[in-house]
């Protein structure tokens, strides 16, 4: 049976949701750094793309303050259930989230800032990127973190990058420049390598 990338991804996360927070604990410093790149201001509306279990929610809420709003979407029902449970444990009235795909999501308002934290599949899907960006204000700030291949001359090391990416992504290839669908939509885009070249973090401003 032929499965779409979205269906493959949903299947991958069905079993990952339970242990996701624990496995992502070591990523918190990088998550904080990526979110800092959004330069959030009180009153901002920030979008958390492919929000997973909502691990970024507290940091984003802190950034926008009580007058701002966090919007989020996540397509995996199991990951979204975890995000909902997180919200039930710490209720707040300025976070809106929905279980939807990046290709189809419809936001209640335009975003001032948008976070792509380890959302490789979404970044590699032009329709998904287009649907998100059309719901962001011109000049919205963008921050991205993710996995990429080591430089080509490291050769077999990239098997490691591919193997690390495969359990999480339906499109485990396409890792030479995973940002290159998003970047042309940006007026500025600054990127640096992380994880000895196997990751990247970027920040910019939409055109
Ligand atoms: C590696 S996790 C990162 C989750 C979260 N951004 C974080 O920082 O913890 C990737 C997430 O993207 C979601 N995802 C993948 N493709 C998607 C799509 N097309 N639309 C919405 N969510 C998607 C997955 O279900 C998964 O929860």
């Amino acid at each position: 049976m032929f499965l779409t990338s979205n269906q493959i991804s949903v299947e991958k996360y069905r079993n990952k949701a339970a242990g996701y927070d624990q496995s992502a604990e070591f990523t918190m410093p990088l998550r904080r750094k990526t979110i800092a790149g959004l330069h959030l201001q009180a009153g901002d509306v920030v979008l958390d793309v492919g929000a997973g279990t909502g691990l970024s929610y507290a940091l984003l809420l802190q950034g926008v303050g009580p007058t701002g709003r966090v919007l989020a979407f996540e397509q995996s029902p199991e990951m979204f259930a975890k995000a909902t449970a997180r919200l039930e444990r710490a209720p707040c009235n300025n976070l809106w989230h929905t279980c939807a795909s990046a290709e189809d999501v419809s936001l209640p308002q335009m975003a001032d800032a948008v976070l792509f934290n380890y959302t490789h599949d979404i970044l590699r899907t032009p329709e998904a990127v287009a649907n998100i960006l059309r719901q962001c204000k011109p000049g919205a700030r963008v921050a991205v973190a993710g996995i990429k291949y080591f430089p080509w001359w490291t050769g077999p090391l990239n098997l490691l990058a591919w193997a690390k990416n495969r359990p999480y992504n339906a499109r485990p290839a396409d890792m030479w420049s995973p940002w290159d669908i998003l970047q042309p939509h940006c007026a500025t885009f600054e990127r640096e390598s992380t994880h000895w070249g196997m990751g990247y973090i970027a920040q910019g401003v939409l055109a």
Side-chain angles (χ1 to χ4, degrees):
M1 188 178 64
F2 174 78
L3 295 178
T4 64
S5 292
N6 297 66
Q7 289 168 328
I8 293 170
S9 176
V10 166
E11 281 313 314
K12 283 183 188 270
Y13 279 94
R14 211 177 287 291
N15 298 324
K16 290 219 169 336
Y20 185 82
D21 286 2
Q22 206 177 354
S23 70
E25 216 163 89
F26 76 100
T27 66
M28 288 313 277
L30 185 62
R31 184 185 301 273
R32 272 190 215 100
K33 184 174 174 181
T34 309
I35 291 173
L38 288 173
H39 306 290
L40 293 176
Q41 312 278 329
D44 274 345
V45 176
V46 60
L47 172 63
D48 189 0
V49 168
T53 62
L55 266 178
S56 296
Y57 285 1
L59 292 167
L60 296 174
L61 284 164
Q62 201 182 340
V64 300
T67 56
R69 196 174 187 200
V70 175
L71 311 177
F73 66 86
E74 164 55 47
Q75 78 174 355
S76 151
E78 289 77 12
M79 295 291 272
F80 184 71
K82 290 273 175 197
T84 302
R86 182 185 304 280
L87 209 49
E88 282 166 3
R89 288 194 299 276
C92 69
N93 56 15
N94 59 341
L95 190 149
W96 172 95
H97 72 172
T98 186
C99 190
S101 74
E103 292 84 342
D104 294 331
V105 71
S106 176
L107 304 178
Q109 67 190 110
M110 303 278 277
D112 298 296
V114 51
L115 174 68
F116 294 86
N117 196 62
Y118 283 84
T119 55
H120 179 82
D121 283 339
I122 296 173
L123 283 171
R124 297 317 300 158
T125 310
E127 317 83 72
V129 172
N131 185 42
I132 292 164
L133 297 191
R134 79 168 66 97
Q135 301 182 71
C136 296
K137 294 179 187 168
R141 283 101 62 201
V142 179
V144 191
I147 192 168
K148 69 172 184 64
Y149 281 136
F150 291 104
W152 64 269
W153 44 264
T154 58
L157 263 188
N158 279 323
L159 279 175
L160 173 68
W162 182 83
K164 266 194 86 68
N165 197 29
R166 200 174 109 83
Y168 293 93
N169 293 305
R171 298 168 184 258
D174 262 359
M175 290 207 300
W176 290 113
S177 49
W179 53 85
D180 66 10
I181 294 173
L182 175 65
Q183 185 172 358
H185 296 277
C186 297
T188 65
F189 195 82
E190 287 165 25
R191 180 175 51 79
E192 61 181 283
S193 285
T194 63
H195 301 90
W196 307 278
M198 201 180 68
Y200 69 98
I201 178 172
Q203 62 180 67
V205 169
L206 291 182

